[in-house]
Amino acid sequence: MLQALGVVPFVALLACIAVLPLVPRAADWWGKPLHQLGVSLLLGLPTAAVLLATGDAAHVASTLHEYVGFIALLSALFVICGGIHLSGDLRATPRNNTAFLALGGVLASVIGTTGASMLLIRPLLSTNSERARRAHTVVFAIFVMANCGGLLTPLGDPPLFLGLLRGVPFLWTLNLFGPWLFVNGVLLVAYYLMDRRLWRDEDAAHREWDETSVEPLKLRGRRQFLLLVGVVLTVALVSSPFREIALVTLGVISWLWGEKQVRHDAGFEWDPILEVAAIFLGIFLTMPAALKVLHHVAPSLPLNEITFFGFTGGLSAFLDNAPTYATFFDLASAMPGEPRVAGVPEVYLVAISLGAVCCGALSYIGNGPNFMIRSVAEAQGTPMPSFGGYLVTALRLLGPVLVSMVLIFLVGATWSIAVGVAVVAVLLALVWRPIGVSSAS
C-alpha cells in the first residue's frame, strides 16, 4: 500500500504536464521554467526524502547521478548545436521536408537524438515558416530525429549507452538495422504522403510566399562540429564523473568560442533546455518510487519477447527510458535462453532496446529532445498539440508502425509478417486522406 502511494507524486507531475497548459489562467504561469522547477521540487523532494528515510539512499543517489549525466549531455549538445546556423530558406516541398527528416534520422545515431534534433529543427522550421500547416512536420521530427533514428549506435539514445556500460558490444546495435530501416522508412513514406496532400491544400498566397522566399543554404558556425566530435568521443570513451565534467566543459567552450551573431540568427534561447531540466528533475525525483513498484510486480508479469517490448515501451513513454531499460535488462538477465549478449538472451535484448528507444516518441516526456523540439517550435510560432493531443496523434501515426515492427521482426511468423504489411498499407492509405494532427494546424 505504501509503495502504491509513493507513485502519487509521479502521477501528479504527469497530470500537471498534461493539464496545466490547457487551463487558460494556468498556462502562462506553468510555461515559465522557474515555476516548473518549483512544482518539480514540491513533488520530488518529499518523495526523495521518504526513500532516504526508508533506506533507499543508494537508489536516490543513482537516480540523481543519472539525471546529472542526462542533463550534461543534453545541455552540451543543445549549446553546441545552438552555435550552428543553417541559414537560407528552401522551398517547403514534401520532398525537401522528407529529406530533412531522413538526414535527421541518420544523424541521430551518429551525434545522438538531441544533437540531430537541435541541429536541424530550426532550419526545418525556417523552411516551413511560409506554410500554414506545419505542426505535423514537427511531430514527425520528434518521431524520427528525436527517437527512432537513434537506434543504431549506443551514442544514439541513453538506454543503448546504458547497455554499452553493462557489457553490450558497441557494434551489437547494428543488428537493429532491419527494424531501424523499417520504422524510419515507413515513417518517412507516411510523412511524405501526408505532407504532399497538405501541400496541395495550401492556399495560393502561402505557396507563392514560399516560392518567392527561397534563399541558398549557408552553413555558419562550422567549428562547432569539432566540439560535436568531442561530445561523441567523450560519451564513447570517458567514464563518469569525468564524462559529465568534460561535457560541461565542451558546452562552456562552445558558448565562449562561438559567434554571438550566429546564435542570434539561429534563434538560440535558453528556455527549451531550462524547461527540460526543470521538468525532468521532477520526473527523476519522483520516478524511483514508480520503478520500485515496477520491480515488485515485474516478476509476476508474463514475460516473453512481445511483453518485454510492450512493458519496456509503454513505460518508456512516461518514465525516463534509461532506467526503464535498466530494469528490464536486469529482469531479462535472469531469464533462460541462448544466444546471450552481456548475460541477457539476445531476443529479449532486442525487444527491450526497440521498446525503450522507439516508444520514447509516444509522449512529450518519453525522451528529453521531444520537449526541446516542442519548445523551439512554439517559440518560433508553430502551434503544437497539447500533451493529450500529441499522445493521440502519436498513437494514430506511430502506433501502427510499431505494431507492424513487432509483428514482422519479433513475432516473425508468416501470418504475422502478412498482418504487419497489411497494417502498414492501411496506415499509408489513411495518411493520404490524411490523418489529422490533434490540436494543431
Side-chain angles (χ1 to χ4, degrees):
M1 180 63 180
L2 290 176
Q3 284 187 342
L5 289 175
V7 182
V8 171
F10 178 75
V11 175
L13 182 59
L14 293 186
C16 290
I17 295 169
V19 175
L20 291 182
L22 303 178
V23 180
R25 293 185 178 180
D28 290 340
W29 182 89
W30 172 253
K32 295 178 172 59
L34 185 62
H35 296 161
Q36 295 164 346
L37 177 62
V39 172
S40 290
L41 293 175
L42 180 65
L43 294 172
L45 290 179
T47 305
V50 170
L51 291 173
L52 289 172
T54 56
D56 277 343
H59 198 170
V60 174
S62 175
T63 301
L64 290 176
H65 178 260
E66 289 175 352
Y67 172 78
V68 171
F70 172 82
I71 291 300
L73 177 59
L74 262 63
S75 299
L77 291 171
F78 181 81
V79 173
I80 293 170
C81 292
I84 302 171
H85 184 215
L86 186 60
S87 61
D89 189 351
L90 299 177
R91 289 187 62 207
T93 62
R95 183 177 62 182
N96 288 341
N97 285 337
T98 304
F100 258 116
L101 296 180
L103 177 61
V106 173
L107 289 178
S109 284
V110 179
I111 60 174
T113 51
T114 300
S117 299
M118 292 301 98
L119 184 63
L120 293 178
I121 187 58
R122 289 186 178 90
L124 181 61
L125 289 168
S126 177
T127 291
N128 286 270
S129 60
E130 299 88 4
R131 294 273 299 265
R133 298 179 179 180
R134 53 187 184 271
H136 66 289
T137 298
V138 183
V139 168
F140 273 88
I142 293 175
F143 292 168
V144 176
M145 298 194 302
N147 291 276
C148 300
L151 196 58
L152 282 184
T153 74
L155 302 175
D157 221 34
L160 302 182
F161 179 67
L162 194 58
L164 177 70
L165 297 181
R166 291 173 172 238
V168 178
F170 187 90
L171 297 179
W172 178 84
T173 46
L174 293 178
N175 292 317
L176 304 176
F177 177 80
W180 174 85
L181 183 63
F182 174 81
V183 171
N184 290 287
V186 172
L187 286 173
L188 291 173
V189 172
Y191 171 78
Y192 177 82
L193 293 176
M194 175 182 284
D195 197 48
R196 185 177 175 187
R197 173 65 177 269
L198 293 174
W199 171 243
R200 288 178 175 178
D201 290 343
E202 288 279 348
D203 61 60
H206 283 93
R207 290 172 67 101
E208 183 179 356
W209 183 21
D210 181 53
E211 291 174 0
T212 57
S213 300
V214 173
E215 296 179 12
L217 293 180
K218 181 180 179 181
L219 184 65
R220 299 163 63 197
R222 290 184 179 88
R223 58 188 180 185
Q224 298 285 340
F225 283 101
L226 295 175
L227 299 177
L228 279 179
V229 173
V231 170
V232 172
L233 294 176
T234 297
V235 172
L237 303 175
V238 182
S239 59
S240 183
F242 300 105
R243 179 174 60 244
E244 288 73 26
I245 295 172
L247 290 172
V248 171
T249 302
L250 288 169
V252 171
I253 292 173
S254 171
W255 180 256
L256 297 175
W257 193 29
E259 300 176 39
K260 293 183 178 179
Q261 188 61 44
V262 173
R263 291 191 188 276
H264 178 270
D265 294 343
F268 180 87
E269 55 182 19
W270 288 101
D271 277 1
I273 190 63
L274 293 177
E275 183 177 6
V276 169
I279 289 176
F280 274 83
L281 176 61
I283 290 174
F284 272 78
L285 286 173
T286 58
M287 186 172 55
L291 290 175
K292 193 172 182 180
V293 173
L294 175 60
H295 273 289
H296 180 72
V297 302
S300 62
L301 298 175
L303 295 176
N304 54 47
E305 60 267 34
I306 310 303
T307 54
F308 264 117
F309 172 86
F311 287 125
T312 305
L315 291 169
S316 290
F318 298 100
L319 299 173
D320 181 68
N321 53 8
T324 302
Y325 173 99
T327 297
F328 284 98
F329 187 101
D330 291 341
L331 290 173
S333 66
M335 302 284 288
E338 296 291 341
R340 304 179 80 85
V341 177
V344 175
E346 187 169 26
V347 65
Y348 299 145
L349 184 58
V350 168
I352 293 167
S353 301
L354 292 175
V357 174
C358 295
C359 294
L362 290 174
S363 83
Y364 281 134
I365 62 172
N367 203 10
N370 302 3
F371 243 120
M372 295 167 70
I373 285 180
R374 178 194 181 186
S375 296
V376 171
E378 290 182 332
Q380 297 197 14
T382 298
M384 290 297 294
S386 65
F387 184 90
Y390 176 86
L391 180 62
V392 170
T393 298
L395 290 174
R396 295 170 68 187
L397 292 172
L398 178 61
V401 181
L402 298 183
V403 169
S404 298
M405 178 190 68
V406 170
L407 291 171
I408 294 172
F409 292 96
L410 295 185
V411 179
T414 302
W415 68 267
S416 65
I417 294 174
V419 173
V421 172
V423 169
V424 168
V426 171
L427 172 66
L428 297 181
L430 288 175
V431 296
W432 179 245
R433 295 181 53 179
I435 296 176
V437 176
S438 300
S439 304
S441 60

